[in-house]
């Protein structure tokens, strides 16, 4: 096979991949806007869907063939959008565009007219995606507050309680009481803070997001103490649970808001584990100094 024939085969393969990607995304966005009730987001998703169909037809001029969409891919991203929100689903789906852009740029030498499609992908679609207004992201700061405070405060409290009480059920009960009281306190503080703010957020919704994030994190952190008799093993698993919460939420926020995952994860994990370590050390010194034994 000559170099020219090999190049043509590779180019055609690349164009087919683009064509399949565009038809998949067309039907994903279409499924999203059909299910969307909010008029603004529905209109944005419809425009993106039509945009993807235009791109599909552009590539079809070169392949002169129809490409079937992947039903599994369409349902996968649609279900992700229903569970985690449309912004997260879209950003996750568009996450591989770095490789797509490189492939587009390679095609420019053979098909200069692809520059228009590349610009459309980079500028127009990004602008449309940026227009999506999603409540859960608008209140992400309230969720972060609840999660972060629950992880920092409760990991520290559990570390101290584990050393002093050394009874899993008693630690779980004390941790639950502490967590419920703290979640109500955090929700009330968030309500008052939001109410005296710039008015962009609903105080009741902001406080609800904060309180729910706090109490759900508390339940997840104390769960090992409910099932295991060894308090030190429970503490180790509670810290692992804290890291899991940080990992999942940091990944969600980093994708949805296009932030650095590594920086946010290390920041939250360092603070949480640092507080737990300091609290454990202080509790140990108090126990030794006052000779506390339960």
């Amino acid at each position: 096979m000559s170099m020219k024939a090999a190049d043509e085969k590779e180019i055609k393969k690349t164009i087919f991949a683009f064509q399949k990607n565009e038809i998949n995304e067309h039907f994903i966005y279409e499924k999203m806007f059909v299910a969307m009730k909010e008029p603004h987001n529905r209109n944005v998703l419809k425009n993106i869907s039509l945009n993807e169909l235009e791109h599909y037809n552009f590539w079809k001029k070169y392949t002169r063939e129809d490409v079937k969409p992947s039903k599994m891919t369409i349902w996968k991203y649609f279900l992700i959008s229903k569970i985690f929100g449309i912004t997260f689903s879209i950003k996750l789906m568009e996450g591989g565009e770095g490789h797509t852009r490189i492939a587009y740029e390679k095609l420019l030498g053979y098909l200069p007219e692809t520059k228009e499609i590349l610009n459309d992908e980079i500028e127009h679609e990004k602008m449309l995606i940026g227009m999506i207004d999603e409540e859960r992201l608008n209140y992400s700061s309230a969720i972060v507050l609840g999660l972060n405070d629950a992880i920092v405060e409760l990991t520290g409290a559990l570390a101290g309680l584990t050393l002093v009480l050394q009874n899993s059920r008693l630690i779980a009960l004390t941790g639950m009481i502490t967590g419920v009281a703290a979640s109500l306190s955090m929700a009330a503080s968030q309500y008052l803070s939001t109410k005296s703010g710039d008015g962009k957020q609903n105080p009741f919704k902001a406080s609800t997001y904060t309180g729910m994030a706090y109490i759900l994190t508390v339940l997840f952190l104390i769960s090992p103490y409910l099932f295991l008799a060894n308090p030190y093993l429970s503490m180790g698993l509670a810290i692992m649970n804290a890291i899991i919460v940080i990992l999942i939420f940091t990944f969600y926020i980093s994708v949805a808001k296009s932030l650095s995952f590594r920086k946010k994860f290390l920041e939250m994990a360092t603070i949480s584990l640092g507080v737990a370590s300091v609290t454990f050390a202080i509790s140990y010194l108090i126990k030794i100094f006052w000779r506390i034994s339960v």
Side-chain angles (χ1 to χ4, degrees):
M1 184 182 291
S2 66
M3 181 62 72
K4 185 177 179 181
D7 286 346
E8 287 177 355
K9 186 177 180 181
E10 188 63 31
I11 290 168
K12 191 171 184 179
K13 183 180 176 182
T14 301
I15 292 175
F16 265 117
F18 287 157
Q19 193 178 351
K20 188 174 183 66
N21 184 62
E22 300 293 0
I23 198 63
N24 281 341
E25 293 190 359
H26 162 66
F27 282 109
I28 290 167
Y29 286 117
E30 183 180 68
K31 201 168 186 64
M32 285 181 182
F33 90 70
V34 168
M36 176 62 61
K37 294 180 180 178
E38 198 278 317
H40 170 77
N41 288 340
R42 182 184 172 89
N43 188 52
V44 172
L45 291 169
K46 185 176 181 179
N47 285 334
I48 301 175
S49 176
L50 294 174
N51 207 44
E52 299 291 4
L53 185 60
E54 287 178 11
H55 295 170
Y56 168 81
N57 289 324
F58 174 86
W59 295 120
K60 186 180 174 181
K61 288 190 299 182
Y62 295 97
T63 63
R64 297 178 183 178
E65 292 182 36
D66 283 313
V67 176
K68 289 185 178 181
S70 168
K71 290 184 179 180
M72 184 178 293
T73 300
I74 294 167
W75 274 103
K76 180 179 80 171
Y77 285 106
F78 177 71
L79 290 175
I80 290 173
S81 74
K82 299 303 288 183
I83 298 169
F84 299 104
I86 54 175
T87 304
F88 177 81
S89 178
I90 291 170
K91 292 285 184 73
L92 189 66
M93 181 171 63
E94 304 285 355
E97 281 195 348
H99 301 293
T100 303
R101 192 176 303 180
I102 293 170
Y104 268 135
E105 289 170 353
K106 284 182 179 179
L107 278 181
L108 287 176
Y110 300 94
L111 301 169
E113 58 268 36
T114 60
K115 186 175 182 179
E116 181 182 344
I117 292 292
L118 177 59
N119 290 337
D120 208 32
E121 289 279 358
I122 295 171
E123 296 174 11
H124 184 58
E125 285 186 16
K126 292 293 184 291
M127 179 191 72
L128 288 172
I129 291 169
M131 290 170 63
I132 293 172
D133 183 23
E134 193 166 15
E135 182 179 281
R136 72 186 73 189
L137 282 181
N138 293 336
Y139 289 92
S140 61
S141 59
I143 298 171
V144 169
L145 180 64
L147 284 174
N148 193 54
D149 272 40
I151 291 170
V152 172
E153 292 172 7
L154 206 70
T155 49
L158 289 175
L161 291 170
T162 298
L163 187 62
V164 174
L165 300 179
Q166 298 183 14
N167 182 300
S168 290
R169 291 300 176 89
L170 191 56
I171 294 166
L173 178 62
T174 308
M176 175 60 76
I177 294 170
T178 303
V180 170
S183 68
L184 294 174
S185 174
M186 285 298 303
S189 298
Q190 181 68 14
Y191 178 87
L192 294 172
S193 175
T194 307
K195 195 170 184 179
S196 61
D198 55 15
K200 291 181 179 180
Q201 291 185 340
N202 181 295
F204 178 75
K205 286 184 178 180
S207 63
T208 300
Y209 276 112
T210 298
M212 288 301 296
Y214 197 109
I215 197 64
L216 289 174
T217 305
V218 166
L219 290 172
F220 190 52
L221 292 180
I222 68 167
S223 60
Y225 291 92
L226 297 172
F227 302 104
L228 299 172
N230 188 321
Y232 294 103
L233 178 58
S234 297
M235 185 182 72
L237 291 175
I239 290 173
M240 280 185 61
N241 284 354
I243 294 172
I244 290 170
V245 172
I246 294 169
L247 187 70
I248 293 172
F249 188 73
T250 304
F251 176 71
Y252 175 82
I253 289 296
S254 64
V255 170
K257 292 201 165 188
S258 303
L259 302 173
S260 169
F261 168 78
R262 185 172 178 272
K263 183 179 178 181
K264 295 295 290 183
F265 174 75
L266 289 176
E267 181 181 58
M268 285 187 72
T270 300
I271 292 171
S272 300
L273 297 180
V275 168
S277 300
V278 170
T279 306
F280 189 85
I282 292 172
S283 301
Y284 179 77
L285 293 174
I286 291 173
K287 183 179 180 182
I288 294 299
F289 185 78
W290 272 291
R291 298 180 182 178
I292 297 173
S293 180
V294 178

